[in-house]
Amino acid sequence: MVTWDAFTAAGPAFAASVRAAFEADRHALLATLRRDGAPRISGVEPVFHASDLWLFVMPGSVKSADLRHDPRCALHSATSERRCGRHNPAGTAGATGIAGTARMAADDAKISGRAVAVTDRAAAAGFLKVLRDRATLPPGPGPELLRLDIAEAATVRATERGAVVRSWRAGGTLRVRRRA
């Protein structure tokens, strides 16, 4: 597993497309494992900050309990028809601003790895400032702060002829597959 910074160093262009997919919409889906091994999907707002991919969860939440029990998780960028020209027969402008484009405005991205608790107080303080600048945090102890160590990442881009799937695993190289 690698940090976001190491992932970016291994493939800057691919990392940029993964990041763009997550930044195209503030919301993402986080898959965690319950204590009984069953999967759970929860909404989350990942943030890129200080060379890491950060997550924040409310203390005592089911996400928090899942990640404390088993830190393995998967993060999926928001997907919607408004971003995908291929599934938008009206041809209205998407995030690209170009009417009738027959491709996704941003790639659909997935990252899997492990959520790691942030214990560095200075790093946590810097990230909390970023969160406070983005939105009002509720009173109380504040969120649990995590960064994501990456085991693998993938993007999917819809095209007129199908899809282009790019995938990467820690220690490996970028693979590109075309699907009809």
Side-chain angles (χ1 to χ4, degrees):
M1 286 206 220
V2 299
T3 63
W4 178 262
D5 203 27
F7 170 63
T8 300
F14 181 59
S17 70
V18 171
R19 182 174 179 157
F22 282 102
E23 289 182 335
D25 193 308
R26 192 174 194 163
H27 300 98
L29 294 174
L30 181 69
T32 58
L33 295 170
R34 300 173 194 221
R35 188 167 291 282
D36 67 2
R40 183 189 323 265
I41 298 287
S42 303
V44 68
E45 294 180 23
V47 177
F48 294 89
H49 171 70
S51 301
D52 270 313
L53 175 54
W54 291 66
L55 304 172
F56 56 101
V57 299
M58 290 299 120
S61 67
V62 293
K63 279 184 273 201
S64 173
D66 290 349
L67 291 170
R68 284 178 185 274
H69 170 71
D70 188 335
R72 293 177 298 166
C73 60
L75 187 65
H76 194 289
S77 63
T79 303
S80 69
E81 287 189 44
R82 76 181 191 293
R83 286 180 45 207
C84 185
R86 182 171 181 236
H87 300 289
N88 187 352
T92 56
T96 60
I98 302 169
T101 56
R103 64 175 184 80
M104 295 180 88
D107 293 339
D108 186 38
K110 298 172 263 193
I111 297 172
S112 64
R114 291 184 183 270
V116 178
V118 175
T119 56
D120 179 308
R121 289 180 189 236
F127 183 63
L128 283 171
K129 180 180 180 340
V130 169
L131 288 182
R132 287 189 182 98
D133 290 346
R134 283 176 53 134
T136 303
L137 292 177
E144 292 181 33
L145 305 178
L146 309 162
R147 66 176 175 75
L148 192 60
D149 278 349
I150 301 166
E152 58 187 302
T155 61
V156 178
R157 178 171 293 236
T159 67
E160 289 179 1
R161 295 186 175 145
V164 176
V165 179
R166 296 182 297 162
S167 60
W168 174 89
R169 288 187 181 193
T173 59
L174 182 65
R175 286 183 55 199
V176 179
R177 298 178 311 281
R178 288 170 173 53
R179 296 193 173 166

